[in-house]
Amino acid sequence: MSKNTRMTKQRKAILEVLKDTDVHPTADWIYEKVKEEIPNISLGTVYRNLNVLSEMGEIMILDYGSTYSRFDGVPNNHYHFQCTECEGVFDLDIPHKDSLNDKIENNTEFEVKDHRLEFYGICPNCQEQDSN
Amino acid sequence: MSKNTRMTKQRKAILEVLKDTDVHPTADWIYEKVKEEIPNISLGTVYRNLNVLSEMGEIMILDYGSTYSRFDGVPNNHYHFQCTECEGVFDLDIPHKDSLNDKIENNTEFEVKDHRLEFYGICPNCQEQDSN
DNA sequence: CTATTTGCAAACGCTTTGCCTGATT
DNA sequence: AATCAGGCAAAGCGTTTGCAAATAG
């Protein structure tokens, strides 16, 4: 229960670097930054702490779960649902809202070309399994 | 100009497997499937052709551009904009629409827990660079 | 004290690439 | 015939992990 709760200087430094920036950095960027303060910190420690901090709810990891790419034979824009249990990806039958791009473009300085909307949860199949 | 356009039996088989399924498979899944038809095909060929086919516009790759994870010191749900030129990730100041989850849940059999919306395009900084 | 954490380096897993042979146009 | 594509295996690259030493509580 009281696991992973030591606030080491490494963990603290990593958290501070992340809280002090809004660039959504990569692990390596964080590593370089923290090295200014703790020169002999190792990249492994950075990764370990990022995972711990995310479990603690202090930070968010912006990866997409699975490490491997998926391929789609339908090269149109459409939205997806991804099951967090079986990792399956399903097409959603709701229309692609191109107007969303315009909405952002009109309210920011960004030039918006595309967007991507993905839902996460449990697919019907895994719901059944769970109730066993 | 006329590069990468030969329709070899490997390329054809890979494309057919992808067009015939809706499971959004991984490269390895495709590899296993194509092996039933071309037993000595290599995984490298599958990857090469998936990239070629995606350049041809025949398929879509559902990765997320950059291969590495990004970390966010603000663990709230919020939407992001990603610049396809500098790879920078920016927060968007539009509210997170939890109602979207319900909308999907009410119209499908999925149990929806979360969603993610990401916009892609060119950030102001890179727009300037481009006009030089 | 002692369980957690670190640094280091090796291992991992998915993907890409170099090289040479084989196939396509 | 000339060029593109394939097979194989090694390399790449971000990330994870095993281990002994260090350290927080």
Side-chain angles (χ1 to χ4, degrees):
Chain A
M1 190 101 290
S2 59
K3 290 177 79 173
N4 290 335
T5 45
R6 287 189 189 171
M7 193 47 71
T8 60
K9 69 171 190 289
Q10 289 87 343
R11 187 166 297 169
K12 196 172 175 184
I14 290 165
L15 183 56
E16 269 168 18
V17 163
L18 245 181
K19 293 283 184 193
D20 280 358
T21 186
D22 58 359
V23 302
H24 303 77
T26 61
D28 208 65
W29 189 95
I30 297 167
Y31 171 58
E32 293 299 334
K33 204 83 177 177
V34 174
K35 255 203 302 199
E36 293 170 10
E37 196 180 333
I38 309 173
N40 66 322
I41 194 172
S42 80
L43 186 54
T45 297
V46 172
Y47 274 106
R48 256 186 303 234
N49 276 308
L50 288 169
N51 286 325
V52 169
L53 288 168
S54 119
E55 278 166 30
M56 292 166 66
E58 293 285 343
I59 68 170
M60 265 186 117
I61 303 182
L62 301 180
D63 66 0
Y64 284 84
S66 158
T67 56
Y68 23 139
S69 295
R70 300 268 180 167
F71 300 88
D72 193 334
V74 184
N76 310 332
N77 272 334
H78 54 275
Y79 300 140
H80 291 112
F81 176 92
Q82 175 147 18
C83 179
T84 51
E85 272 194 40
C86 68
E87 301 272 286
V89 176
F90 307 87
D91 290 330
L92 286 176
D93 202 18
I94 55 175
H96 189 89
K97 287 191 69 176
D98 286 319
S99 60
L100 265 179
N101 295 346
D102 304 331
K103 194 173 162 186
I104 301 297
E105 198 156 271
N106 294 336
N107 288 294
T108 66
E109 297 297 313
F110 297 117
E111 183 183 327
V112 182
K113 300 214 167 133
D114 200 6
H115 70 269
R116 187 147 174 175
L117 176 57
E118 225 119 274
F119 292 86
Y120 301 91
I122 315 287
C123 74
N125 213 25
C126 288
Q127 289 173 38
E128 272 178 43
Q129 314 260 308
D130 288 353
S131 57
N132 294 345
Chain B
M1 190 101 289
S2 57
K3 291 178 77 174
N4 291 334
T5 45
R6 288 187 187 170
M7 192 47 71
T8 60
K9 70 170 189 289
Q10 287 89 344
R11 188 166 296 170
K12 195 171 177 186
I14 290 165
L15 183 56
E16 270 170 16
V17 163
L18 245 183
K19 294 282 184 192
D20 279 358
T21 186
D22 58 359
V23 302
H24 303 77
T26 62
D28 207 66
W29 189 97
I30 297 167
Y31 171 57
E32 292 299 333
K33 205 82 177 177
V34 175
K35 256 205 302 199
E36 293 171 10
E37 195 181 332
I38 309 173
N40 66 323
I41 195 173
S42 80
L43 186 54
T45 298
V46 172
Y47 274 105
R48 255 187 300 237
N49 276 307
L50 288 170
N51 286 324
V52 169
L53 288 168
S54 117
E55 278 167 28
M56 293 166 67
E58 293 284 343
I59 67 169
M60 267 186 115
I61 302 182
L62 300 180
D63 66 1
Y64 284 85
S66 156
T67 55
Y68 22 141
S69 295
R70 300 270 182 164
F71 300 88
D72 193 334
V74 184
N76 310 332
N77 272 336
H78 54 276
Y79 300 141
H80 292 112
F81 176 91
Q82 175 147 16
C83 179
T84 51
E85 271 194 40
C86 67
E87 302 271 287
V89 176
F90 306 88
D91 289 329
L92 287 176
D93 202 18
I94 54 174
H96 189 88
K97 286 191 69 177
D98 287 320
S99 61
L100 266 179
N101 295 345
D102 303 331
K103 192 173 162 186
I104 301 297
E105 197 157 89
N106 294 336
N107 288 293
T108 66
E109 298 297 313
F110 297 117
E111 183 183 326
V112 181
K113 300 217 169 132
D114 200 6
H115 70 270
R116 188 149 173 177
L117 176 57
E118 225 120 274
F119 292 86
Y120 300 90
I122 316 286
C123 74
N125 213 27
C126 288
Q127 289 173 39
E128 272 178 44
Q129 312 261 307
D130 289 352
S131 58
N132 292 346

